[in-house]
């Protein structure tokens, strides 16, 4: 026995020497089962801990109470996919613990029970999720130094993987109470399984989409440093075990290793349809330090017009910032900048810009020189006097349609990192011969160490010319206008003998408050059941649907008439969508109407009185099913809208298309 004991000691010493040159010294293997004696501290649950700290400062809130948590390790950095943290779980929930050390799995394997002494540590937060860390007087690093972590995370008993069994659940059953726990999803599949790798080496981390058979989805977030990063996603349906987390409003999963994905069929996945895909909140690298959705205005972005009467504007319906030099029926030379607020990058290790954009109606050959991105560290309000560095936009759209593309992760030049007053800007150019429409949305900036300058201040812009309220209204993303002027931008077309067979109704006017630009406005109380608009046939048109959008209120409903090539017509009555007394509202979603067929010579079966309209300030889409029609009228009547008498109408109509 004495010899054996000496041998053991020698082996322990050898292990210590072996790792002496590595990143850190590992603890010698324990020879007896560890046990933890609970002192005066009170044991609380993870759920109680989260209840105590619902909101914390960015540097973390120091825990003063003498409490402890008893939990089991369910996730660690064994494969490199989880970075400098472990996940622990008890019967009430799960918790992420940040530890400033690599290879934590060696000391805290899955199944290891721990008693976590909280006093002196800090409640921290990331992406809106409460975690456990330490207040290091540095918001950028709230992880617990390893030597301190070992004193607070005490091992109890030998590790037992059976203590870390996942909870079998479904995507539809996931709640916030499950954040930080180990879950198991069965019968799921990866989008583009067998095609994409788990991760992308050009980005620190990526989101892969995992779906169930109904189409519900979750993001699986994978690091390029994971040991399985370059492996292909499994194909077909199978089982995934992962840690559930959340960033912003998005649930996401973290795999502990590739072994957490098993039982995949290798065939095309079984689905019942559905494409429920969320928009990720989490950046590719660093934290989100600035974003603009352009839902109501340009936010902190500042439009600067150097030449031309047009300027950058926001489209609240489509949630984009857009610029075009087209106005008054022609292209106009322009130079316009859209400048970001200033950023302090003195401590920044990265600065990444992401957005979505589309470009149309211009010269495609000039797109990459006329729609560009720049950055400066000496901008003070005058774009001409500032020094600008070009920034390459990773991905451009086709330039010939309204389809948005993602820009890709755009890294600011390294020469600007470390500077205290950095801005970026979208620069738009147009000529009298060509004026593209450039639309930008979903702008997001991520950075490791960067921040907005104090208060996120924006440099004072130079004086602006009076903007054109609608320099180049975009056309609907799909389909084509049912008749010329059916977007109601060019009101001169709304005359008898042009797009119309008869004059507009007496209470019809043009409104500047369209979905994008202008709209037709039915505004008043009609004396009788009357036509508001009757478009003339103009050549052969065919399609399966006609769509239009309405916004506003009306005491009665609407009736739509569509005329076929053979002179017959179909009547679509909006009041037939609901029961008598039904109010058309956003709760109805997209409204799809089937025709009531009548011949051209019969009295149309119009109906308006059974319902009313209140869109609550939102645009509602109405679709008319004309799939049974071969072709629409070539001449005379093409399309009409009628209203009911003796009630008030305050209703906008816009973007009537056929597809």
């Amino acid at each position: 026995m004495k010899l054996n004991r000496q041998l053991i000691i020698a082996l322990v010493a050898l292990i210590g020497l072996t790792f002496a040159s590595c990143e850190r010294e590992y603890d010698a293997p324990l020879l007896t089962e560890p046990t933890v004696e609970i002192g005066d501290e009170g044991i609380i649950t993870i759920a109680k801990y989260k209840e105590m700290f619902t909101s914390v400062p960015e540097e973390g809130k120091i825990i003063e109470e003498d409490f402890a948590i008893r939990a089991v390790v369910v996730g660690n950095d064994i494969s490199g996919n989880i970075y400098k943290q472990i996940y622990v779980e008890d019967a009430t929930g799960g918790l992420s613990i940040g530890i400033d050390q690599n290879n934590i799995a060696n000391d805290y394997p899955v199944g290891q029970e721990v008693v976590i002494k909280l006093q002196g540590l800090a409640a921290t937060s990331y992406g809106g999720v409460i975690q456990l860390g330490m207040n290091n007087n540095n918001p950028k690093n709230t992880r617990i130094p390893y030597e301190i972590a070992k004193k607070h995370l005490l091992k109890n008993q030998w590790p037992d993987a059976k203590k870390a069994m996942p909870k079998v659940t479904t995507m539809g059953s996931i709640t916030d109470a499950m954040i930080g726990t180990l879950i198991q999803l069965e019968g799921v599949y990866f989008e583009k399984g067998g095609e994409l790798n788990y991760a992308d080496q050009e980005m620190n981390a990526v989101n892969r989409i995992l779906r169930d058979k109904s189409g519900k989805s979750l993001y699986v977030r994978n690091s390029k440093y994971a040991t399985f990063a370059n492996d292909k996603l499994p194909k077909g349906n199978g089982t995934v075990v992962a840690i559930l987390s959340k960033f912003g409003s998005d649930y996401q999963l973290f795999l502990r290793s590739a072994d957490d994905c098993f039982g995949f069929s290798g065939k095309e996945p079984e689905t019942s349809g559905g494409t429920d895909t969320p928009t990720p909140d989490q950046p590719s690298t660093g934290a989100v330090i600035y974003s603009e959705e352009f839902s109501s205005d340009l936010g902190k972005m500042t439009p600067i017009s150097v030449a031309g009467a047009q300027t950058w504007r926001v489209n609240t319906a489509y949630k984009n910032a857009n610029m075009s030099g087209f106005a008054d029926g022609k292209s106009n030379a322009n130079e316009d900048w859209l400048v970001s607020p200033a950023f302090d990058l003195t401590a920044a290790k990265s600065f990444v810009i992401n957005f979505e954009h589309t470009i149309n109606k211009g010269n495609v050959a000039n797109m990459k020189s006329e729609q560009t991105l720049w950055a400066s560290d000496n901008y003070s309000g005058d774009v001409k006097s500032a020094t600008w560095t070009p920034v390459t936009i990773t991905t451009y759209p086709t330039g010939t349609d309204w389809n948005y593309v993602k820009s890709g992760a755009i890294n600011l030049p390294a020469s600007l990192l470390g500077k205290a007053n950095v801005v970026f800007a979208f620069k738009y150019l147009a000529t009298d011969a060509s004026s593209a429409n450039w639309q930008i949305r979903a702008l997001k900036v991520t950075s490791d160490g960067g921040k907005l300058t104090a208060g996120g201040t924006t440099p004072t812009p130079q004086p602006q010319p009076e903007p054109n309220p609608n320099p180049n209204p975009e056309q609907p993303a799909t389909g084509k206008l049912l008749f010329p002027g059916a977007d109601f931008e060019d009101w001169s077309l709304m005359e008898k003998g042009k797009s119309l067979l008869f004059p507009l109704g007496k209470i019809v006017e043009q409104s500047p408050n369209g979905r994008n630009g202008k709209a037709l406005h039915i505004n008043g109380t009609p004396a009788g059941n009357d036509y508001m608009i009757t478009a003339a046939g103009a050549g052969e048109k065919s399609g399966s649907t006609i769509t239009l959008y309405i916004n506003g209120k009306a005491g009665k409903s609407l009736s739509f008439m569509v005329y076929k090539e053979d002179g017959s017509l179909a009547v679509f009555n909006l009041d037939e969508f609901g029961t008598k007394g039904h109010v058309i509202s956003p709760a109805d979603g997209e409204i799809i109407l089937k025709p009531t067929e009548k011949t051209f010579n019969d009295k149309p079966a119009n109906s308006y009185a059974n319902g009313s309209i209140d869109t609550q300030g939102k645009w509602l889409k109405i679709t008319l099913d004309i799939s049974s029609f071969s072709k629409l009228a070539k001449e005379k009547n093409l399309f009409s809208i009628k209203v009911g008498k003796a009630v008030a109408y305050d209703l906008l109509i816009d973007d009537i298309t056929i597809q």
Side-chain angles (χ1 to χ4, degrees):
M1 292 297 297
K2 185 175 180 181
L3 180 62
N4 289 339
R5 180 176 176 83
Q6 291 175 340
L7 182 59
I8 291 171
I9 293 172
L11 288 171
V12 170
L14 180 61
I15 292 170
L17 289 172
T18 301
F19 288 95
S21 61
C22 296
E23 188 172 344
R24 66 173 171 86
E25 270 189 10
Y26 297 109
D27 293 338
L30 296 174
L31 302 181
T32 59
E33 185 176 40
T35 57
V36 178
E37 296 290 335
I38 304 298
D40 296 331
E41 64 267 24
I43 295 293
I44 62 171
T45 65
I46 290 176
K48 179 64 178 178
Y49 170 82
K50 291 181 177 180
E51 182 182 328
M52 293 168 58
F53 304 101
T54 57
S55 177
V56 298
E58 58 180 358
E59 70 271 14
K61 180 176 177 59
I62 297 174
I63 302 170
E64 297 176 352
E65 297 85 354
D66 192 12
F67 290 143
I69 293 173
R70 189 191 298 268
V72 174
V73 177
V74 294
N76 54 33
D77 61 357
I78 187 68
S79 71
N81 198 46
I82 295 173
Y83 181 67
K84 290 190 175 182
Q85 60 186 321
I86 61 173
Y87 287 86
V88 299
E89 183 177 339
D90 67 9
T92 69
L95 181 67
S96 170
I97 304 175
I99 301 174
D100 200 11
Q101 182 63 55
N102 295 315
N103 303 314
I104 311 169
N106 291 293
D107 291 325
Y108 295 98
V110 168
Q112 176 67 64
E113 185 176 294
V114 290
V115 175
I116 307 161
K117 296 191 175 188
L118 299 175
Q119 193 175 48
L121 300 181
T124 59
S125 176
Y126 182 72
V129 175
I130 295 297
Q131 302 179 334
L132 179 64
M134 193 164 184
N135 187 324
N136 299 309
N137 295 316
N138 181 5
K140 299 169 187 170
N141 182 13
T142 57
R143 299 186 181 95
I144 309 169
Y146 188 68
E147 292 304 314
I148 296 176
K150 289 191 294 184
K151 296 176 182 178
H152 285 262
L153 277 66
L154 307 179
K155 303 174 191 177
N156 190 49
Q157 304 177 347
W158 295 122
D160 182 0
K162 294 180 181 178
K163 294 180 179 180
M165 300 302 292
K167 178 182 179 181
V168 179
T169 188
T170 64
M171 291 186 183
S173 301
I174 288 174
T175 67
D176 282 1
M178 301 164 65
I179 293 173
T181 67
L182 189 67
I183 66 171
Q184 179 169 315
L185 301 170
E186 300 174 345
V188 294
Y189 67 95
F190 283 97
E191 199 169 272
K192 297 187 178 180
E195 301 177 25
L196 297 178
N197 294 341
Y198 278 95
D200 187 339
Q201 291 302 311
E202 294 182 0
M203 305 178 70
N204 283 348
V206 297
N207 292 321
R208 298 302 190 217
I209 297 173
L210 185 73
R211 296 190 184 278
D212 66 13
K213 292 181 180 181
S214 71
K216 292 185 177 66
S217 64
L218 285 172
Y219 286 112
V220 180
R221 190 156 178 85
N222 301 322
S223 168
K224 74 174 185 179
Y225 301 106
T227 56
F228 55 91
N230 296 325
D231 295 343
K232 293 290 185 187
L233 293 169
K235 185 177 181 180
N237 300 88
T239 298
V240 170
V241 174
I243 299 291
L244 177 69
S245 187
K246 194 175 187 180
F247 190 94
S249 60
D250 294 331
Y251 289 114
Q252 56 187 9
L253 301 174
F254 287 98
L255 301 172
R256 302 167 302 174
S257 73
D259 293 337
D260 280 341
C261 301
F262 56 91
F264 282 77
S265 66
K267 305 175 182 177
E268 289 299 317
E270 298 176 9
T271 71
S272 58
T275 57
D276 172 25
T277 304
T279 300
D281 289 331
Q282 188 161 5
S284 307
T285 180
V288 177
I289 62 171
Y290 176 68
S291 65
E292 290 292 357
E293 294 298 328
F294 304 114
S295 57
S296 60
D297 52 38
L298 293 172
K300 295 183 183 299
M301 301 294 292
T302 302
I304 304 292
S305 182
V306 176
Q310 291 71 48
T311 189
W312 283 92
R313 65 193 181 102
V314 70
N315 182 329
T316 58
Y318 288 91
K319 295 185 178 180
N320 63 49
N322 60 87
M323 175 60 203
S324 173
F326 188 88
D328 301 321
K330 63 183 180 68
S331 295
N332 301 277
N334 270 265
E335 178 181 342
D336 291 85
W337 297 65
L338 187 63
V339 186
S340 77
F343 296 87
D344 181 359
L345 305 186
T346 52
K349 298 178 181 177
S350 65
F351 189 94
V352 182
I353 304 167
N354 280 275
F355 57 91
E356 297 178 7
H357 65 151
T358 182
I359 302 172
N360 201 4
K361 304 296 184 182
N363 188 332
V364 176
N366 298 335
M367 184 167 58
K368 294 184 179 181
S369 59
E370 293 182 344
Q371 286 82 55
T372 52
L373 182 63
W374 301 78
S376 173
D377 66 347
N378 65 354
Y379 172 75
S380 60
D382 183 1
V383 297
K384 288 297 187 183
S385 64
T387 302
W388 294 95
T389 300
V391 182
T392 301
I393 297 176
T394 309
T395 304
Y396 275 88
T398 64
T400 58
D401 56 40
W402 298 111
N403 296 324
Y404 282 86
V405 299
K406 294 182 179 180
S407 66
I410 301 172
N411 289 278
L412 211 64
S415 60
L416 294 175
L417 300 181
K419 301 297 180 64
N421 186 52
V422 177
V423 301
F424 63 88
F426 298 96
K427 181 182 179 182
Y428 172 92
L429 296 174
T431 67
D432 291 336
S434 176
S435 56
N437 187 312
W438 192 13
Q439 301 174 18
I440 296 167
R441 69 184 187 188
L443 174 64
K444 186 174 294 184
V445 174
T446 61
S447 178
D448 182 0
K451 61 182 180 180
L452 283 169
T453 56
T457 57
T458 304
T460 303
Q462 60 195 41
Q464 299 292 300
E466 195 66 24
N468 186 319
N470 186 36
N472 187 23
E474 67 185 81
Q475 299 303 311
T478 60
K480 55 185 178 181
L481 295 178
L482 179 61
F483 53 88
D487 56 355
F488 307 109
E489 305 300 334
D490 187 352
W491 201 245
S492 68
L493 296 173
M494 298 295 102
E495 297 177 4
K496 180 181 178 181
K498 292 186 176 180
S499 289
L500 304 187
L501 191 65
F502 301 104
L504 290 167
K506 294 180 180 180
I507 60 172
V508 173
E509 61 188 14
Q510 189 183 37
S511 169
N513 301 316
R515 297 177 66 234
N516 185 52
K518 300 179 177 67
L520 181 145
H521 190 191
I522 305 173
N523 186 26
T525 302
N529 300 331
D530 199 4
Y531 290 90
M532 296 293 100
I533 184 173
T534 300
E540 295 181 351
K541 287 185 180 291
S542 61
S544 59
T545 61
I546 293 172
T547 64
L548 63 131
Y549 295 82
I550 64 172
N551 188 342
K553 295 182 179 181
K556 290 184 179 179
S557 192
L558 296 172
S559 183
F560 310 101
M561 287 164 285
V562 181
Y563 297 80
K564 305 180 193 178
E565 184 183 29
D566 62 5
S568 64
L569 65 85
V571 179
F572 300 80
N573 292 314
L574 186 57
D575 73 349
E576 295 177 359
F577 179 76
T579 58
K580 187 173 182 178
H582 179 76
V583 179
I584 298 295
S585 74
D588 294 311
E590 180 182 354
I591 298 171
I592 301 176
L593 299 176
K594 303 287 185 180
T596 301
E597 304 250 0
K598 288 287 182 178
T599 64
F600 178 72
N601 293 316
D602 279 346
K603 184 178 180 179
N606 304 116
S607 177
Y608 334 89
N610 289 332
S612 58
I613 301 170
D614 184 1
T615 74
Q616 301 169 19
K618 298 181 179 180
W619 286 96
L620 300 187
K621 182 180 181 181
I622 298 173
T623 297
L624 312 181
D625 182 356
I626 60 170
S627 56
S628 62
F629 299 12
S630 55
K631 292 178 181 177
L632 302 187
K634 296 181 183 179
E635 55 184 1
K636 297 185 178 180
N637 302 46
L638 172 66
F639 177 80
S640 299
I641 301 176
K642 290 188 73 176
V643 299
K645 64 181 180 180
V647 297
Y649 280 79
D650 184 6
L651 196 64
L652 298 170
I653 297 177
D654 206 357
D655 293 337
I656 306 175
T657 65
I658 182 171
Q659 51 259 358

